[in-house]
Amino acid sequence: MSAEAEWFAHRLPETWFTERPEVVVDREEITVVGALPPLTVVEGLPDPERAAAEEGYVERFREETRERRIEIARQAEHRFRRKVSWGVKIGGDVVMFTTLSVPVMTRLRQGERQVLDTLVAAGVARSRSDALAWCVRLVGRHTDTWLADLRDALQAVDRVRAAGPGGVD
């Protein structure tokens, strides 16, 4: 478990989530997503009514926890020098309250730019930037297992590095 995940685990109220929240960290952001307790009143309801009840449940949780989440986020942002984003899991869905959008610079060859321009021309995206984000999401959805294995391998490398001798003089 990362230092950030451990830090959040000790600060979040136990009543918020049914299990330890998932804490994902990158260079700019810490994302905290926890599973809400099941909403029992939705059992047997038609899909539209169930979805509306779950949406209200998520909004109520968001409003009732807002001040405490802001306080925890401020502490974390000061300690870890990253922004904090929040979300919840309900049923099979993840609902994000906040997310950080970070600009990323890249160099593309003509063929790669043509892919983006085709997506823009077809109305799939409004701009090359949106088209590139769409491509990244598509790749991410179709390679979840491979990316998870790669992240696990990188964490193993970090653990081995941390256990090794200090830097070379």
Side-chain angles (χ1 to χ4, degrees):
M1 179 178 298
S2 71
E4 294 88 352
E6 193 67 34
W7 188 90
F8 276 95
H10 293 293
R11 281 160 183 79
L12 297 176
E14 292 179 12
T15 57
W16 281 8
F17 305 123
T18 58
E19 56 196 41
R20 274 197 171 188
E22 178 182 358
V23 178
V24 178
V25 180
D26 70 11
R27 290 183 216 174
E28 294 87 13
E29 181 177 24
I30 300 171
T31 304
V32 181
V33 178
L36 292 178
L39 186 58
T40 55
V41 298
V42 298
E43 293 173 13
L45 289 178
D47 286 345
E49 291 176 30
R50 180 187 49 74
E54 287 177 348
E55 184 179 322
Y57 180 46
V58 167
E59 279 304 309
R60 187 175 74 231
F61 174 84
R62 183 179 186 184
E63 291 304 317
E64 289 174 356
T65 62
R66 181 183 308 273
E67 287 183 32
R68 182 73 177 120
R69 284 185 297 107
I70 289 171
E71 179 183 325
I72 293 168
R74 281 191 187 129
Q75 293 171 8
E77 288 169 4
H78 177 75
R79 179 180 181 93
F80 300 112
R81 307 267 188 253
R82 292 175 176 89
K83 289 293 186 185
V84 176
S85 297
W86 297 93
V88 294
K89 290 181 200 173
I90 181 154
D93 297 325
V94 173
V95 179
M96 294 303 298
F97 300 157
T98 54
T99 56
L100 192 60
S101 183
V102 178
V104 178
M105 192 68 175
T106 187
R107 296 182 188 280
L108 300 175
R109 299 195 186 290
Q110 185 178 37
E112 296 159 335
R113 293 190 310 269
Q114 286 175 336
V115 169
L116 300 181
D117 291 342
T118 299
L119 293 171
V120 171
V124 173
R126 293 181 309 241
S127 65
R128 282 180 171 177
S129 177
D130 286 343
L132 186 56
W134 182 87
C135 291
V136 170
R137 284 191 303 273
L138 183 66
V139 169
R141 269 197 298 268
H142 293 290
T143 59
D144 279 342
T145 303
W146 182 81
L147 287 172
D149 291 346
L150 187 58
R151 286 184 190 108
D152 290 344
L154 289 171
Q155 288 176 349
V157 167
D158 288 342
R159 283 191 300 274
V160 170
R161 245 189 225 135
V168 178
D169 290 352

